Amino acid sequence: MTSEPRDAPQFYLTSPSPCPYLPGREERKVFTHLVGRKAVALNNALTESGFRRSQTIAYRPACEECRACVSVRVRVDDFVPTRNMRRVLDMNTDLIGASLPARPTSEQYTLFRGYLDARHGDGGMADMNVLDYTMMIEDTHVETRLVEYRRRGPDSSINGRGTGPLIAVCLTDVLADGLSMVYSYYDTEQAERSLGTFMILDHVARAKRLGLPHLYLGYWVDGSRKMAYKARFLPQERLGMDGWEVVR
């Protein structure tokens, strides 16, 4: 893990770079390090303020002329799945997710690599090797879990784990007021399962069982097709200039 001697957060601003979501625009981010004995409390406070975590970095957009990136969190107790979402749940009743310590495996990396090649071959993570993946999973000073999804087996009701090949994975932070889905990936050859939607629905249920009021989904970007799905999980709260605002 990376480390830093100071406990008081120091914030930095990145230089402008091409926006990955909206063509023709530039992005800037403000970021700080999540390390030391105050990392957990700092991550809780920053996530509630619209930051996201990547390894030991907490960041949020700081674009001068654009406010398209909006932090979104699902209101767990009020959430009601749509008819289509209920169909997704029905299609995946044969799957079970096991919450495990954040430890990388070669099976995870194989699935991760296949997901990147199929869905994000030209993205910023396209060149990640096995060491990069290991850092993404292990380099954390906060409470982080890996949820691995496999088919249910004869002992799943006893041990809470599935059997057979790995089908989907979500790197998840456990916060004081909710769960945060840091990064998820899945077997793209099983597109009919709508595994991305299924993992969000499963995490809503997990947060509810834990008595946590929110599921953080990261940034919804108005005008970005690949981020449009986040707007479907209602009711949700979006972070605006006057704080978190309910959208139903």
Side-chain angles (χ1 to χ4, degrees):
M1 294 183 183
T2 58
S3 61
E4 190 171 277
R6 66 174 68 95
D7 284 326
Q10 304 290 313
F11 290 88
Y12 308 91
L13 186 65
T14 65
S15 299
S17 61
C19 176
Y21 303 115
L22 300 175
R25 300 193 191 182
E26 291 188 329
E27 69 166 359
R28 300 188 78 177
K29 295 176 182 175
V30 60
F31 70 93
T32 189
H33 296 279
L34 292 171
V35 294
R37 60 188 176 86
K38 295 184 179 180
V40 172
L42 182 60
N43 189 45
N44 286 329
L46 291 179
T47 301
E48 192 169 0
S49 299
F51 280 71
R52 292 288 287 168
R53 184 184 74 83
S54 177
Q55 294 176 221
T56 57
I57 297 293
Y59 67 91
R60 67 171 296 172
C63 307
E64 296 177 359
E65 299 180 358
C66 181
R67 297 291 182 270
C69 293
V70 178
S71 293
V72 170
R73 64 187 188 187
V74 180
R75 292 167 61 98
V76 167
D77 289 336
D78 299 333
F79 175 76
V80 178
T82 64
R83 181 181 300 178
N84 182 65
M85 290 174 184
R86 291 195 296 270
R87 284 199 292 267
V88 171
L89 289 171
D90 289 342
M91 283 189 295
N92 291 286
T93 54
D94 61 328
L95 300 185
I96 185 171
S99 180
L100 306 171
R103 298 184 187 132
T105 66
S106 58
E107 185 183 24
Q108 291 167 16
Y109 180 70
T110 298
L111 185 65
F112 172 75
R113 190 68 258 169
Y115 173 79
L116 288 185
D117 291 344
R119 294 295 177 90
H120 302 287
D122 57 351
M125 302 173 70
D127 296 329
M128 286 181 64
N129 59 32
V130 67
L131 294 178
D132 297 324
Y133 176 79
T134 297
M135 290 293 288
M136 183 178 80
I137 302 301
E138 289 188 339
D139 200 9
T140 175
H141 288 244
V142 303
E143 185 176 353
T144 304
R145 306 289 290 177
L146 272 175
V147 183
E148 291 190 348
Y149 295 87
R150 303 176 193 269
R151 285 187 171 85
R152 293 180 182 272
D155 298 324
S156 293
S157 60
I158 300 172
N159 59 26
R161 300 190 181 191
T163 186
L166 191 60
I167 293 176
V169 176
C170 186
L171 181 65
T172 305
D173 283 351
V174 183
L175 307 170
D177 71 332
L179 299 179
S180 176
M181 298 179 71
V182 177
Y183 193 80
S184 60
Y185 57 93
Y186 50 85
D187 181 356
T188 57
E189 294 185 0
Q190 301 195 44
E192 73 283 355
R193 286 184 176 270
S194 298
L195 289 166
T197 296
F198 170 68
M199 282 190 281
I200 293 175
L201 296 172
D202 180 69
H203 273 68
V204 169
R206 288 173 183 274
K208 191 166 189 175
R209 289 196 298 269
L210 292 169
L212 299 172
H214 302 122
L215 174 65
Y216 288 86
L217 297 182
Y219 299 117
W220 167 69
V221 184
D222 190 14
S224 171
R225 289 184 61 189
K226 61 183 174 181
M227 290 295 175
Y229 70 92
K230 296 180 182 182
R232 296 188 292 113
F233 295 86
L234 300 172
Q236 64 182 223
E237 296 177 359
R238 297 176 185 173
L239 187 58
M241 298 298 291
D242 298 320
W244 291 97
E245 302 171 352
V246 180
V247 178
R248 299 184 182 277

